């Protein structure tokens, strides 16, 4: 089984900016924890982060036929992206 984790805009700044709001954990640390759980369960996991909406849409489409599932945190695009929601 292959899962692709897609992260949206500014998530690359986790642990860097506004730690009092978002906490000190960096995106790389979150991905490391996810990879550990995936490995323990025999799941292949791949990570992708972009600040650009079109690149996220492209990556979602690239998963078709290549991945068994997607975990997505579109961040600010949760509220504004018709393309990602579609």
């Amino acid at each position: 089984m292959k899962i692709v984790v897609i992260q949206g805009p500014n998530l690359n700044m986790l642990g860097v900016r506004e730690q009092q709001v978002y906490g000190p954990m960096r995106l790389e640390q979150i991905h490391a924890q996810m990879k550990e759980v995936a490995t323990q369960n025999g799941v292949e996991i791949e990570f992708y982060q972009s600040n650009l909406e079109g690149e996220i849409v492209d990556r979602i489409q690239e998963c078709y036929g290549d991945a068994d599932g997607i975990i997505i945190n579109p961040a600010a695009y949760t509220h504004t992206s018709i393309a990602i929601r579609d």
Side-chain angles (χ1 to χ4, degrees), residues 14-83:
L14 287 175
V16 176
R17 68 176 185 105
E18 297 185 84
Q19 289 186 11
Q20 69 281 8
V21 176
Y22 301 108
M25 188 174 280
R26 292 177 174 262
L27 188 59
E28 296 81 14
Q29 294 170 298
I30 294 168
H31 288 173
Q33 287 181 354
M34 293 176 79
K35 183 164 182 62
E36 184 177 327
V37 172
T39 300
Q40 290 171 357
N41 290 282
V43 174
E44 180 184 351
I45 193 164
E46 181 181 306
F47 302 100
Y48 179 81
Q49 187 277 326
S50 179
N51 295 318
L52 303 174
E53 181 180 22
E55 289 182 359
I56 294 170
V57 171
D58 286 344
R59 187 64 190 107
I60 291 168
Q61 291 178 3
E62 289 167 3
C63 290
Y64 187 78
D66 183 54
D68 298 297
I70 297 172
I71 298 172
I72 185 168
N73 180 353
Y77 292 135
T78 300
H79 308 291
T80 63
S81 177
I82 295 169

Side-chain angles (χ1 to χ4, degrees), residues 3-22:
I3 302 295
V4 177
V5 178
I6 301 174
Q7 306 282 11
N10 296 320
L11 291 173
N12 58 311
M13 298 300 291
L14 287 175
V16 176
R17 68 176 185 105
E18 297 185 84
Q19 289 186 11
Q20 69 281 8
V21 176
Y22 301 108

